Amino acid sequence: MATNEHELEHLVSRKYKHGFFTEIEADTVPPGLNEDVIRFISAKKNEPEWMTEWRLKAYRHWLTMPEPKWAHVHYPPIDFQAISYYSAPKRPEDAPKSLDEVDPKLLETYDKLGIPLHERARLAGVAVDAVFDSVSVTTTFKEKLAEAGVIFCSFSEAVQEHPELVRRYLGSVVPARDNFYAALNSAVFTDGSFVYIPKGVRCPMELSTYFRINAANTGQFERTLIVADEGSHVSYLEGCTAPMRDENQLHAAVVELVALKDAEIKYSTVQNWYPGDEEGRGGIYNFVTKRGDCRGANSKISWTQVETGSAITWKYPSCILRGDNSVGEFYSVAVANNLQQADTGTKMIHIGRNTRSTIISKGISAGRAQNAYRGLVRVLPTAEGARNFTQCDSLLIGDRCGAHTFPYIEARNPSAQIEHEATTSKIGEDQLFYCLQRGLSEEDAVNMIVNGFCKEVFRELPMEFAVEAQALLNVSLEGAVG
Amino acid sequence: MLKIKDLHARVDGKDILKGLTLEVAAGEVHAIMGPNGAGKSTLAQVLAGREGYEIVSGSVEYLGQDLLELAPEERAREGVFLAFQYPVEIPGVNNVYLLKAALNAIRKHRGEDELDAYAFMKIVREKMKLMQMDPSFLNRGVNEGFSGGEKKRNEILQMAVLEPKLALLDETDSGLDIDAMKVVAEGVNSLRSPERAIVMVTHYQRLLDHIVPDVVHVLADGRIVKSGDRSLALELEERGYDWLQKAVGT
Ligand SMILES: Nc1ncnc2c1ncn2[C@@H]1O[C@H](COP(=O)(O)OP(=O)(O)OP(=O)(O)O)[C@@H](O)[C@H]1O
Ligand SMILES: [Mg+2]
């Protein structure tokens, strides 16, 4: 190993000599992607050789892959050579010193979302130790987890501390060659979260990226791996309701979940990337691969997501129901306003016997936004007795937006029972007038109707997240009517 | 309280109200009867401020203000309540949640404190009892899956909680069974007061046995063609509307 690391360093420094990195600080690479850049990232993170090789293999495969074109979204071509694939976390000197230096509009939004003062600073990227000290919270948190034997750390840390676990499970759900963005992520990911719940352990608290130090700096290619060993249980919360801004337009994360026998993973996301201005300028492109593998019998994976952000969202949290009697669930609210485009949905792959899946998707479109649901339910011949229920509802606000539903059903076992229900409704002028006539403002009326529409999904979110999600939805749809 | 003068209104280019004049004083109950398609619901919607109705001419004064200048929610907060002929369903929104938001919006407008959950529930329980409604209705979606009669009853429950100054009831009696009609009538009667006016649209004189009106009007072809006391309703029941329309030459 040592020699390999030495070689790597050598390689990197040779490049330095050739002037490749001379113009810039040692902690950043110039835009562009090639094998040297990947080696640089891997060396920076002090990764073992297998990890470097894994990245390189992904990269080489990526080079052969065409960019997907089939999603129901439109955007100018992305120049992958114009992106910088590694930059060190922002140093405290560069961050705003206090909230006074933060965009007032952002602060206004925090206010509307009811985000506590101390948190606003963190979210706005104010140098954390300058404003509030999260150490005590985090420490008690870490102690409690350690007691239970739960591993919850950054991905980089996991590669160092638990290489055998990472090596065993990384890419086992989303192979590096899975799709264009997953391959890219595999080659260049910089950080993310790692969770391991040991056999029979019920994680004593909800795990939230919030508690992971440096969570804000995981960058545009995030990698998350969660493994729930036999009989264990974990609930994981990703994201936050505050609008996240980022100079990086392209985000391509990969999330892998593994549930072994009798294990259960509940993964909740509230995602609110900057959607761009009213003309869609400057918004984030969010191309995510999320997949859960119910590897053992009686396991369960449940995805709940509330998506309001991004200029473009392309995302299909999926479940591979391999274990007999395993259960996959997908609850989703996707909001698209102004010029946002969302192409989301799920895939449920039934392999084991008596596997069950439920899909509840609520799409809301306002302004000139386009919202597409794309869902695949595949029942393999082995999946005797498989069942799926899909309910897919779209709500239109105004008449310049659109909703599209693309259900794909492949049943290759005659015993499969698949039910699909789909509705599209407009926020009725009738409903709106009814609320106005009772004295509600138009904004409150729309919020109320929309929240009612999303109820079945909000119910699945952890309590405090549900409240935030509701407030978030209200803010996202501000000005959608009228 | 309410002064409508020579009101002309149209929808989609079609003239519906054609010079309607009507005055309602505080404390009074007026019944409006008239053939299908005469413009009764249109009048109610225009007063409530629904979009899509073009006011061609005429004026509406409510408590000294120009009602037509106000947005629908402002009218509601100023005390105008419309019990809809066809109440809409709003899936997933708790009945009680809408009611609380409505009451607090109105209270806020009046400069009163918003009610907390406890104080609010106290009022609602009392009114539910009056309307003989099962408490389970509170936690159902607004009118979601309600029967026709239950929807009407729910409208009157809302009215009882919101305590409007001017209540417009559009065929609240239609679709009610005999017992329900009595309950609804009781609910309406409990709101009768010297500061309040009630205008109710109905096709049946039977309702007027329970809610005795001060004045009965006949609305035909976009106008009030005849007004009178209770006996007019009885006469209409016997003779229909034909003779009136002939008499006024429409
Ligand atoms: N959007 C519209 N476009 C065209 N005509 C309309 C529209 N809305 C209402 N009307 C017409 O206006 C007339 C008056 O309707 P309105 O609902 O006010 O009648 P009404 O007196 O309440 O009748 P009913 O006793 O049947 O409830 C009807 O002829 C109706 O068809
Ligand atoms: Mg009518």
Side-chain angles (χ1 to χ4, degrees), chain B residues 40-41 85 170-171:
Chain B
K40 302 180 297 296
S41 293
Q85 183 172 2
D170 193 357
E171 294 198 27

Side-chain angles (χ1 to χ4, degrees), chain A residues 429-431 433-442 448-449 451-453 455 470, chain B residues 45 50 73 76-77 80-82 84 88-89 92-94 101-102 105 143 155 158:
Chain A
E429 199 231 322
D430 284 358
Q431 293 175 332
F433 181 63
Y434 190 81
C435 295
L436 294 180
Q437 212 303 304
R438 296 303 180 245
L440 272 67
S441 67
E442 187 154 286
M448 191 180 272
I449 295 167
N451 279 314
F453 174 75
K455 203 174 201 171
Q470 234 174 70
Chain B
Q45 306 274 4
R50 185 174 203 129
E73 65 273 24
R77 293 172 197 162
V80 177
F81 180 93
L82 170 59
F84 287 82
V88 295
E89 302 194 6
V93 174
N94 267 355
N143 293 321
E155 293 291 288
Q158 294 183 355

Side-chain angles (χ1 to χ4, degrees), chain B residues 143-173:
Chain B
N143 293 321
E144 200 180 349
F146 286 21
S147 76
E150 287 165 351
K151 284 181 184 171
K152 296 300 178 73
R153 216 187 272 212
N154 196 34
E155 293 291 288
I156 301 305
L157 170 73
Q158 294 183 355
M159 180 179 81
V161 171
L162 299 179
E163 301 190 317
K165 293 187 187 117
L166 173 64
L168 309 166
L169 314 184
D170 193 357
E171 294 198 27
T172 301
D173 54 330

Side-chain angles (χ1 to χ4, degrees), chain B residues 11-12 14 16 34-43 53 85-86 170-171 201 203:
Chain B
V11 191
D12 288 338
K14 186 181 169 205
I16 312 237
N36 292 134
K40 302 180 297 296
S41 293
T42 303
L43 173 64
Y53 293 87
Q85 183 172 2
Y86 305 108
D170 193 357
E171 294 198 27
V201 172
H203 285 297

